[in-house]
Amino acid sequence: MLERIEETAAFLREKMHTSPETAIILGTGLGSLANEITEKYEIKYEDIPNFPVSTVEGHSGKLIFGKLGNKDIMAMQGRFHYYEGYSMKEVTFPVRVMKELGIKTLFVSNASGGTNPDFEIGDLMIITDHINYFPEHPLRGKNLYGDRFPDMSEAYSKELIGKALVIAKEKGIKVQQGIYIGTQGPTFETPAEYKLFHILGADAVGMSTVPEVIVANHCKIKVFGISVITDLGVEGKIVEVSHEEVQLAADAAQPKMTTIMRELINRA
């Protein structure tokens, strides 16, 4: 595993014109933040040794290097999911490569279903904590980096959350805060499952993010996460949902998310 991580990192170093310390993972329907990146150069996942390939509509499958404002960044336009058939080591492989490349801060985004009755479709939720509901833990197996039993008491940086709240207030953008629960998918939740997850303490549910954040913390990479609420699992508000509708809702919320992420990355 470590040899493959180092091989991939070595390949990317030869292609890189900069040495970014900031990385972004863009989820379903949220890839347009990449349009804000200047001086960029792109590498398709399929051209990167040992990299998985994204199979989900709305995930472009490109690694992008360039500038976002005044910061050199590395961005994943599309991620990998457990439900695609990948192991947790494959899902989180890019984060380990980021560690090798010197990334210090990771920004993650996703589309999720709201379980909090105060939420509405199109809301942005700053992730304050998460619940790991996946059947496989991403750190299972040989310990590659850091502590065998890493601390997760601040999985999402309180400092970055505070700065994001200030930016949202300055820009007049409504934001929610809450706990994200990650499940394996690929089905959307039943009404009973939505209810269960809310009882467990989750404000939103999705099929990604948690494994990447766990590995980032293990690698001592600081994390900020944000969810776009694209459907609701709240009693009385549950309607039939499709991946296409999720993408549309995410697309509509992109300008607000882009503003917060761009400003936060430049102030981080």
Side-chain angles (χ1 to χ4, degrees), residues 4 19 34 37 53 82-83 92 98 129 136 153 156 164 176 178 199 201 204 230 246 249 265:
R4 290 193 291 116
S19 300
I37 300 171
V53 177
Y82 190 70
Y83 64 73
T92 58
M98 290 173 186
D129 204 348
E136 179 187 346
S153 61
Y156 300 82
Q176 307 281 7
I199 290 170
T230 52
V246 166
I265 287 168

Side-chain angles (χ1 to χ4, degrees), residues 18 20 37-41 64-68 71-75:
T18 55
I37 300 171
T38 60
E39 301 177 31
K40 65 182 175 183
Y41 50 103
I64 303 171
F65 295 90
K67 283 189 176 292
L68 191 63
K71 284 287 180 73
D72 291 325
I73 60 100
M74 167 185 181

Side-chain angles (χ1 to χ4, degrees), residues 29 55 64 68 149 205 225 261:
T55 66
I64 303 171
L68 191 63
F149 307 105
V205 55
M261 293 281 263

